[in-house]
Amino acid sequence: MRNFKLTVEYLGTNYYGWQFLPDKPTVQGEIIRCLETVLRYPVKLIGASRTDAGVHARGQVANFSTAKEVSCEKLLSALNGLLPPDIRVKEVEEVPLEFHARRSARGKLYRYRLFIRDVPSPFEFRRSWYLRRTLSVEPMREAARFLVGTHDFTTFSKSERKREVNPIRTIDKIEITNKEWEEGVLVELLFTGRSFLRHMVRVIVATLVKVGTGEVKPQEVKEMLQAKDRSRAPFLAPPDGLYLERVFYDDYPY
């Protein structure tokens, strides 16, 4: 048996997330379809992250094992020749059999893009969260500091999260940048952490946006976190601005 690692990028707008669904288009489903066309053999494809419907990725990682004789170069060329144009495999590597895209991961980097100007941009449509109101970035940074570290993130997770899922997570870094350019203002939030609960990044982003508009004070974010109550942060940023930027393995910096 041989184990292949795929690094994948995609626009998630047209898909019901990464995870395979029998009756809906998904990114994993498209890649499996193309792999099985090339290999003429059933494939079990493992993804590092189950991105939600509409969420994008620049550095999703997946792996599969096969006994077929095929080169990395042929796989890369064949897959990109068959995949729809909004999904691309950037790299194919042969890795040790024990490599597992999800279990071997040591950390992830997510990026969230906020686009601000008086009118929407067709070039940012479904690729960022469009806002008309200017954000105060410094209070957002102040609030974000309360979320760095190891905490119970129940307040910032999907409300119907299964009880057996451990809500304790570690965020090692939150960076917020503010860039003015000719098209408007781009605010980006980067989250580096060991693992994330479902909707966790999107709830945090929406909460920090409320801080940036003055509707929530930075200290209140600390109180929300300590409450361990999803109803304390009843916000959810749209999936359009969220990108799985990178999955770390032995190269995790924290």
Side-chain angles (χ1 to χ4, degrees):
M1 295 294 289
R2 304 167 69 198
N3 194 13
F4 288 94
K5 173 187 174 187
L6 311 180
T7 303
V8 185
E9 60 184 7
Y10 51 86
L11 284 173
T13 303
N14 296 324
Y15 302 97
Y16 286 81
W18 164 266
Q19 193 71 10
F20 174 81
L21 295 171
D23 57 346
K24 290 182 172 61
T26 68
V27 178
Q28 186 184 41
E30 287 295 320
I31 298 175
I32 289 174
R33 176 182 62 81
C34 295
L35 279 171
E36 293 182 347
T37 299
V38 173
L39 300 174
R40 300 181 182 179
Y41 190 83
V43 170
K44 180 182 178 182
L45 184 68
I46 300 164
S49 178
R50 297 185 179 188
T51 54
D52 290 332
V55 173
H56 318 295
R58 291 192 178 99
Q60 172 73 281
V61 175
N63 76 284
F64 71 96
S65 298
T66 180
K68 292 280 187 176
E69 285 297 325
V70 61
S71 68
C72 294
E73 293 77 14
K74 180 180 178 180
L75 269 177
L76 182 66
S77 176
L79 286 173
N80 286 325
L82 292 170
L83 284 165
D86 49 6
I87 303 174
R88 281 293 173 263
V89 178
K90 295 197 293 185
E91 188 176 13
V92 178
E93 306 169 69
E94 188 167 355
V95 291
L97 288 175
E98 60 269 20
F99 176 85
H100 188 284
R102 186 178 69 256
R103 291 200 294 261
S104 300
R106 297 290 177 265
K108 296 172 186 173
L109 170 62
Y110 283 94
R111 181 187 303 269
Y112 198 98
R113 303 176 76 250
L114 302 162
F115 178 71
I116 305 168
R117 75 175 188 184
D118 291 339
V119 295
S121 166
F123 303 106
E124 291 291 330
F125 177 64
R126 305 303 294 271
R127 299 186 184 188
S128 62
W129 181 7
Y130 166 67
L131 299 170
R132 288 186 179 180
R133 297 179 63 179
T134 301
L135 298 176
S136 297
V137 173
E138 280 307 318
M140 295 171 66
R141 290 173 176 151
E142 181 183 347
R145 285 193 282 269
F146 295 122
L147 303 173
V148 174
T150 301
H151 306 286
D152 182 323
F153 281 96
T154 296
T155 300
F156 301 96
S157 64
K158 188 175 174 63
S159 56
E160 61 266 33
R161 176 177 51 79
K162 294 180 181 179
R163 292 183 178 180
E164 62 267 22
V165 175
N166 185 354
I168 306 297
R169 292 292 186 270
T170 299
I171 298 179
D172 289 303
K173 185 178 182 180
I174 300 176
E175 182 181 2
I176 303 175
T177 64
N178 186 23
K179 176 185 176 183
E180 293 188 21
W181 53 312
E182 58 184 7
E183 296 298 327
V185 176
L186 182 66
V187 176
E188 292 191 323
L189 299 91
L190 290 91
F191 299 83
T192 305
R194 318 294 170 86
S195 63
F196 296 84
L197 298 167
R198 190 171 184 191
H199 288 179
M200 179 173 158
V201 172
R202 291 168 60 192
V203 178
I204 291 175
V205 167
T207 303
L208 294 179
V209 165
K210 293 288 186 182
V211 173
T213 60
E215 298 169 77
V216 172
K217 295 179 181 179
Q219 181 65 28
E220 291 181 75
V221 174
K222 180 180 180 181
E223 295 167 3
M224 290 177 184
L225 178 69
Q226 293 173 338
K228 304 174 187 177
D229 179 358
R230 178 66 184 92
S231 67
R232 292 292 300 274
F235 323 117
L236 182 64
D240 305 5
L242 183 58
Y243 296 73
L244 173 59
E245 196 74 19
R246 184 173 176 182
V247 181
F248 296 95
Y249 293 93
D250 292 336
D251 56 347
Y252 191 58
Y254 297 98

